[in-house]
PDB file of all heavy atoms in Angstrom:
ATOM      1  N   ILE A 248      -5.454 -59.988  51.574  1.00  0.00           N
ATOM      2  CA  ILE A 248      -6.461 -61.008  51.866  1.00  0.00           C
ATOM      3  C   ILE A 248      -6.031 -61.742  53.137  1.00  0.00           C
ATOM      4  O   ILE A 248      -4.847 -62.003  53.336  1.00  0.00           O
ATOM      5  CB  ILE A 248      -6.525 -62.039  50.709  1.00  0.00           C
ATOM      6  CG1 ILE A 248      -6.827 -61.364  49.381  1.00  0.00           C
ATOM      7  CG2 ILE A 248      -7.529 -63.143  51.007  1.00  0.00           C
ATOM      8  CD1 ILE A 248      -8.258 -60.931  49.213  1.00  0.00           C
ATOM      9  N   CYS A 249      -7.002 -62.107  53.976  1.00  0.00           N
ATOM     10  CA  CYS A 249      -6.690 -62.863  55.182  1.00  0.00           C
ATOM     11  C   CYS A 249      -6.458 -64.336  54.814  1.00  0.00           C
ATOM     12  O   CYS A 249      -7.269 -64.946  54.128  1.00  0.00           O
ATOM     13  CB  CYS A 249      -7.848 -62.742  56.167  1.00  0.00           C
ATOM     14  SG  CYS A 249      -7.629 -63.749  57.637  1.00  0.00           S
ATOM     15  N   GLY A 250      -5.337 -64.880  55.286  1.00  0.00           N
ATOM     16  CA  GLY A 250      -4.999 -66.271  54.988  1.00  0.00           C
ATOM     17  C   GLY A 250      -5.893 -67.260  55.720  1.00  0.00           C
ATOM     18  O   GLY A 250      -6.015 -68.415  55.311  1.00  0.00           O
ATOM     19  N   TYR A 251      -6.544 -66.822  56.794  1.00  0.00           N
ATOM     20  CA  TYR A 251      -7.369 -67.730  57.593  1.00  0.00           C
ATOM     21  C   TYR A 251      -8.808 -67.783  57.099  1.00  0.00           C
ATOM     22  O   TYR A 251      -9.370 -68.859  56.935  1.00  0.00           O
ATOM     23  CB  TYR A 251      -7.350 -67.308  59.065  1.00  0.00           C
ATOM     24  CG  TYR A 251      -5.958 -67.322  59.640  1.00  0.00           C
ATOM     25  CD1 TYR A 251      -5.294 -66.138  59.929  1.00  0.00           C
ATOM     26  CD2 TYR A 251      -5.293 -68.527  59.865  1.00  0.00           C
ATOM     27  CE1 TYR A 251      -4.010 -66.146  60.438  1.00  0.00           C
ATOM     28  CE2 TYR A 251      -4.006 -68.549  60.371  1.00  0.00           C
ATOM     29  CZ  TYR A 251      -3.362 -67.357  60.664  1.00  0.00           C
ATOM     30  OH  TYR A 251      -2.099 -67.376  61.147  1.00  0.00           O
ATOM     31  N   CYS A 252      -9.430 -66.632  56.862  1.00  0.00           N
ATOM     32  CA  CYS A 252     -10.855 -66.637  56.509  1.00  0.00           C
ATOM     33  C   CYS A 252     -11.114 -66.188  55.066  1.00  0.00           C
ATOM     34  O   CYS A 252     -12.233 -66.294  54.577  1.00  0.00           O
ATOM     35  CB  CYS A 252     -11.656 -65.756  57.471  1.00  0.00           C
ATOM     36  SG  CYS A 252     -11.378 -63.999  57.249  1.00  0.00           S
ATOM     37  N   GLY A 253     -10.090 -65.671  54.383  1.00  0.00           N
ATOM     38  CA  GLY A 253     -10.247 -65.313  52.973  1.00  0.00           C
ATOM     39  C   GLY A 253     -10.887 -63.957  52.717  1.00  0.00           C
ATOM     40  O   GLY A 253     -11.068 -63.562  51.576  1.00  0.00           O
ATOM     41  N   LYS A 254     -11.236 -63.224  53.798  1.00  0.00           N
ATOM     42  CA  LYS A 254     -11.843 -61.901  53.614  1.00  0.00           C
ATOM     43  C   LYS A 254     -10.745 -60.852  53.367  1.00  0.00           C
ATOM     44  O   LYS A 254      -9.564 -61.108  53.601  1.00  0.00           O
ATOM     45  CB  LYS A 254     -12.645 -61.509  54.865  1.00  0.00           C
ATOM     46  CG  LYS A 254     -13.772 -62.455  55.196  1.00  0.00           C
ATOM     47  CD  LYS A 254     -15.032 -62.062  54.479  1.00  0.00           C
ATOM     48  CE  LYS A 254     -16.174 -62.995  54.875  1.00  0.00           C
ATOM     49  NZ  LYS A 254     -17.134 -63.161  53.790  1.00  0.00           N
ATOM     50  N   HIS A 255     -11.195 -59.666  52.954  1.00  0.00           N
ATOM     51  CA  HIS A 255     -10.241 -58.581  52.731  1.00  0.00           C
ATOM     52  C   HIS A 255      -9.697 -58.043  54.047  1.00  0.00           C
ATOM     53  O   HIS A 255     -10.351 -58.133  55.083  1.00  0.00           O
ATOM     54  CB  HIS A 255     -10.912 -57.443  51.971  1.00  0.00           C
ATOM     55  CG  HIS A 255     -10.958 -57.692  50.503  1.00  0.00           C
ATOM     56  ND1 HIS A 255      -9.929 -57.357  49.671  1.00  0.00           N
ATOM     57  CD2 HIS A 255     -11.908 -58.267  49.733  1.00  0.00           C
ATOM     58  CE1 HIS A 255     -10.229 -57.714  48.435  1.00  0.00           C
ATOM     59  NE2 HIS A 255     -11.429 -58.273  48.440  1.00  0.00           N
ATOM     60  N   ILE A 256      -8.502 -57.475  53.950  1.00  0.00           N
ATOM     61  CA  ILE A 256      -7.926 -56.807  55.113  1.00  0.00           C
ATOM     62  C   ILE A 256      -7.786 -55.331  54.768  1.00  0.00           C
ATOM     63  O   ILE A 256      -7.173 -54.977  53.758  1.00  0.00           O
ATOM     64  CB  ILE A 256      -6.568 -57.434  55.474  1.00  0.00           C
ATOM     65  CG1 ILE A 256      -6.811 -58.864  55.970  1.00  0.00           C
ATOM     66  CG2 ILE A 256      -5.837 -56.587  56.511  1.00  0.00           C
ATOM     67  CD1 ILE A 256      -5.569 -59.589  56.418  1.00  0.00           C
ATOM     68  N   LYS A 273      -6.672 -54.529  59.532  1.00  0.00           N
ATOM     69  CA  LYS A 273      -7.511 -55.453  60.287  1.00  0.00           C
ATOM     70  C   LYS A 273      -8.396 -56.276  59.347  1.00  0.00           C
ATOM     71  O   LYS A 273      -8.963 -55.751  58.391  1.00  0.00           O
ATOM     72  CB  LYS A 273      -8.399 -54.656  61.243  1.00  0.00           C
ATOM     73  CG  LYS A 273      -9.185 -55.526  62.212  1.00  0.00           C
ATOM     74  CD  LYS A 273      -9.906 -54.637  63.230  1.00  0.00           C
ATOM     75  CE  LYS A 273     -10.486 -55.460  64.362  1.00  0.00           C
ATOM     76  NZ  LYS A 273     -11.121 -54.613  65.379  1.00  0.00           N
ATOM     77  N   CYS A 274      -8.495 -57.577  59.650  1.00  0.00           N
ATOM     78  CA  CYS A 274      -9.288 -58.494  58.819  1.00  0.00           C
ATOM     79  C   CYS A 274     -10.783 -58.157  58.942  1.00  0.00           C
ATOM     80  O   CYS A 274     -11.306 -57.984  60.033  1.00  0.00           O
ATOM     81  CB  CYS A 274      -9.034 -59.938  59.244  1.00  0.00           C
ATOM     82  SG  CYS A 274     -10.215 -61.078  58.526  1.00  0.00           S
ATOM     83  N   GLU A 275     -11.433 -58.102  57.771  1.00  0.00           N
ATOM     84  CA  GLU A 275     -12.863 -57.804  57.717  1.00  0.00           C
ATOM     85  C   GLU A 275     -13.667 -58.936  58.385  1.00  0.00           C
ATOM     86  O   GLU A 275     -14.713 -58.703  58.982  1.00  0.00           O
ATOM     87  CB  GLU A 275     -13.265 -57.686  56.248  1.00  0.00           C
ATOM     88  CG  GLU A 275     -14.543 -56.973  55.986  1.00  0.00           C
ATOM     89  CD  GLU A 275     -14.854 -56.969  54.488  1.00  0.00           C
ATOM     90  OE1 GLU A 275     -14.809 -58.054  53.861  1.00  0.00           O
ATOM     91  OE2 GLU A 275     -15.116 -55.894  53.959  1.00  0.00           O
ATOM     92  N   GLY A 276     -13.163 -60.173  58.268  1.00  0.00           N
ATOM     93  CA  GLY A 276     -13.824 -61.320  58.882  1.00  0.00           C
ATOM     94  C   GLY A 276     -13.862 -61.197  60.401  1.00  0.00           C
ATOM     95  O   GLY A 276     -14.763 -61.708  61.061  1.00  0.00           O
ATOM     96  N   ARG A 277     -12.876 -60.500  60.946  1.00  0.00           N
ATOM     97  CA  ARG A 277     -12.848 -60.296  62.389  1.00  0.00           C
ATOM     98  C   ARG A 277     -13.695 -59.088  62.778  1.00  0.00           C
ATOM     99  O   ARG A 277     -14.535 -59.157  63.680  1.00  0.00           O
ATOM    100  CB  ARG A 277     -11.396 -60.079  62.840  1.00  0.00           C
ATOM    101  CG  ARG A 277     -11.300 -59.818  64.320  1.00  0.00           C
ATOM    102  CD  ARG A 277      -9.850 -59.783  64.758  1.00  0.00           C
ATOM    103  NE  ARG A 277      -9.768 -59.223  66.105  1.00  0.00           N
ATOM    104  CZ  ARG A 277      -8.634 -58.990  66.731  1.00  0.00           C
ATOM    105  NH1 ARG A 277      -7.491 -59.260  66.150  1.00  0.00           N
ATOM    106  NH2 ARG A 277      -8.649 -58.473  67.945  1.00  0.00           N
ATOM    107  N   LYS A 278     -13.504 -57.991  62.025  1.00  0.00           N
ATOM    108  CA  LYS A 278     -14.165 -56.735  62.360  1.00  0.00           C
ATOM    109  C   LYS A 278     -15.678 -56.792  62.118  1.00  0.00           C
ATOM    110  O   LYS A 278     -16.466 -56.433  62.977  1.00  0.00           O
ATOM    111  CB  LYS A 278     -13.554 -55.616  61.514  1.00  0.00           C
ATOM    112  CG  LYS A 278     -14.113 -54.235  61.790  1.00  0.00           C
ATOM    113  CD  LYS A 278     -13.596 -53.270  60.725  1.00  0.00           C
ATOM    114  CE  LYS A 278     -14.468 -52.041  60.604  1.00  0.00           C
ATOM    115  NZ  LYS A 278     -14.202 -51.034  61.640  1.00  0.00           N
ATOM    116  N   ILE A 282     -15.809 -63.859  62.591  1.00  0.00           N
ATOM    117  CA  ILE A 282     -15.583 -65.275  62.320  1.00  0.00           C
ATOM    118  C   ILE A 282     -14.091 -65.580  62.307  1.00  0.00           C
ATOM    119  O   ILE A 282     -13.687 -66.689  61.994  1.00  0.00           O
ATOM    120  CB  ILE A 282     -16.166 -65.687  60.952  1.00  0.00           C
ATOM    121  CG1 ILE A 282     -15.631 -64.755  59.856  1.00  0.00           C
ATOM    122  CG2 ILE A 282     -17.687 -65.700  60.965  1.00  0.00           C
ATOM    123  CD1 ILE A 282     -15.777 -65.314  58.458  1.00  0.00           C
ATOM    124  N   CYS A 283     -13.256 -64.581  62.623  1.00  0.00           N
ATOM    125  CA  CYS A 283     -11.821 -64.769  62.414  1.00  0.00           C
ATOM    126  C   CYS A 283     -11.030 -64.202  63.588  1.00  0.00           C
ATOM    127  O   CYS A 283     -11.437 -63.236  64.216  1.00  0.00           O
ATOM    128  CB  CYS A 283     -11.421 -64.077  61.118  1.00  0.00           C
ATOM    129  SG  CYS A 283      -9.706 -64.336  60.677  1.00  0.00           S
ATOM    130  N   GLN A 284      -9.901 -64.850  63.872  1.00  0.00           N
ATOM    131  CA  GLN A 284      -9.082 -64.446  65.024  1.00  0.00           C
ATOM    132  C   GLN A 284      -7.808 -63.721  64.603  1.00  0.00           C
ATOM    133  O   GLN A 284      -6.974 -63.399  65.441  1.00  0.00           O
ATOM    134  CB  GLN A 284      -8.681 -65.697  65.829  1.00  0.00           C
ATOM    135  CG  GLN A 284      -9.862 -66.476  66.370  1.00  0.00           C
ATOM    136  CD  GLN A 284     -10.645 -65.667  67.386  1.00  0.00           C
ATOM    137  OE1 GLN A 284     -10.075 -64.987  68.224  1.00  0.00           O
ATOM    138  NE2 GLN A 284     -11.967 -65.715  67.298  1.00  0.00           N
ATOM    139  N   LYS A 285      -7.650 -63.509  63.304  1.00  0.00           N
ATOM    140  CA  LYS A 285      -6.400 -62.906  62.808  1.00  0.00           C
ATOM    141  C   LYS A 285      -6.074 -61.619  63.563  1.00  0.00           C
ATOM    142  O   LYS A 285      -6.891 -60.732  63.694  1.00  0.00           O
ATOM    143  CB  LYS A 285      -6.567 -62.608  61.308  1.00  0.00           C
ATOM    144  CG  LYS A 285      -5.543 -61.680  60.707  1.00  0.00           C
ATOM    145  CD  LYS A 285      -4.493 -62.425  59.925  1.00  0.00           C
ATOM    146  CE  LYS A 285      -3.385 -61.486  59.475  1.00  0.00           C
ATOM    147  NZ  LYS A 285      -2.620 -60.927  60.610  1.00  0.00           N
ATOM    148  N   LEU A 421      -2.132 -62.734  54.012  1.00  0.00           N
ATOM    149  CA  LEU A 421      -1.540 -62.510  55.329  1.00  0.00           C
ATOM    150  C   LEU A 421      -1.957 -63.577  56.359  1.00  0.00           C
ATOM    151  O   LEU A 421      -3.129 -63.888  56.497  1.00  0.00           O
ATOM    152  CB  LEU A 421      -2.029 -61.178  55.884  1.00  0.00           C
ATOM    153  CG  LEU A 421      -1.203 -59.921  55.651  1.00  0.00           C
ATOM    154  CD1 LEU A 421      -1.809 -58.778  56.419  1.00  0.00           C
ATOM    155  CD2 LEU A 421       0.241 -60.145  56.061  1.00  0.00           C
TER     156      LEU A 421
HETATM  157 ZN1  LIG B 267      -9.604 -63.280  58.645  1.00  0.00          ZN
END
Side-chain angles (χ1 to χ4, degrees):
I248 303 285
C249 175
Y251 300 108
C252 72
K254 300 272 182 211
H255 278 274
I256 293 182
K273 188 173 191 177
C274 168
E275 199 182 50
R277 178 173 167 184
K278 182 190 159 80
I282 53 162
C283 184
Q284 300 295 318
K285 165 102 187 65
L421 267 186

